[in-house]
Amino acid sequence: MLLLVAAHAFSQDSLKIKEIDLLVKKIKQSTLPIKRDSVILDQPELGLKMKTYLSRIIADKQLKKYENFVDATMTVDGETKKMITSSIFYYEKNKVIKVEEYSIEADKKNLIDWYYSDSKPLFYTLESDKAADRAQLLVTMSESILKQLLK
């Protein structure tokens, strides 16, 4: 009986994830206007050069997408390292539904997807003992982004 209940719950989550991915696909393919901005945060004394690109889609007073893309170069002891990171938040009815994160450093690329239902973590692809904390942090970040952009 317990196995049947667990299978049913997993099936419902799988269906919800598919629905979320369909909403995200529609947002990605939309022709809604995108607002962009950038911030340069160079700190030569620390050997850091960093440019952040921000973009957002807002339609009918609803945030649909927010992206934070960071291109950073660090020089430490004469060794230069380049790192690119991105966090893309997708919203439905001003609630986060998915966050896509990636990072590229040297030849190492990480991709992580976070799914949410009613602002609560539903599923994520990160396998780590800190994943649940990160999932909740992203909810908090998504709410802060909403407050800043929809004042």
Side-chain angles (χ1 to χ4, degrees):
M1 180 70 166
L2 183 60
L3 182 60
L4 181 60
V5 171
H8 180 68
F10 179 76
S11 174
Q12 286 180 325
D13 287 351
S14 295
L15 181 59
K16 185 68 177 169
I17 289 167
K18 287 179 183 178
E19 289 172 4
I20 291 168
D21 280 335
L22 183 60
L23 288 168
V24 167
K25 183 178 179 182
K26 287 180 182 178
I27 293 168
K28 287 179 177 180
Q29 293 175 345
S30 81
T31 58
L32 293 168
I34 301 171
K35 293 193 176 188
R36 301 178 194 278
D37 202 354
S38 62
V39 178
I40 296 173
L41 184 67
D42 292 344
Q43 295 185 350
E45 67 279 2
L46 299 176
L48 178 65
K49 288 185 76 169
M50 186 165 64
K51 189 159 188 179
T52 301
Y53 301 90
L54 307 170
S55 64
R56 63 192 176 277
I57 298 174
I58 299 174
D60 300 323
K61 297 186 181 183
Q62 290 189 34
L63 183 59
K64 297 294 183 184
K65 178 181 175 182
Y66 176 83
E67 181 174 5
N68 180 357
F69 178 92
V70 178
D71 185 348
T73 304
M74 295 175 286
T75 304
V76 179
D77 296 330
E79 184 180 339
T80 301
K81 294 181 182 179
K82 184 169 179 70
M83 183 171 197
I84 295 173
T85 63
S86 178
S87 297
I88 307 168
F89 294 78
Y90 295 94
Y91 296 83
E92 177 66 17
K93 298 179 183 168
N94 286 331
K95 290 191 176 194
V96 67
I97 56 171
K98 184 177 182 181
V99 179
E100 297 173 342
E101 292 189 299
Y102 70 87
S103 64
I104 303 168
E105 185 175 4
D107 293 337
K108 187 178 176 187
K109 185 174 185 176
N110 292 310
L111 301 166
I112 307 166
D113 290 329
W114 309 85
Y115 292 86
Y116 298 89
S117 179
D118 200 25
S119 298
K120 293 179 180 61
L122 177 67
F123 175 77
Y124 39 83
T125 59
L126 179 64
E127 294 180 14
S128 165
D129 57 344
K130 298 186 188 310
D133 292 339
R134 177 71 181 168
Q136 192 56 51
L137 175 65
L138 290 169
V139 170
T140 303
M141 289 172 62
S142 76
E143 290 168 352
S144 294
I145 291 165
L146 273 169
K147 285 179 186 173
Q148 288 296 313
L149 296 177
L150 299 180
K151 304 185 209 187

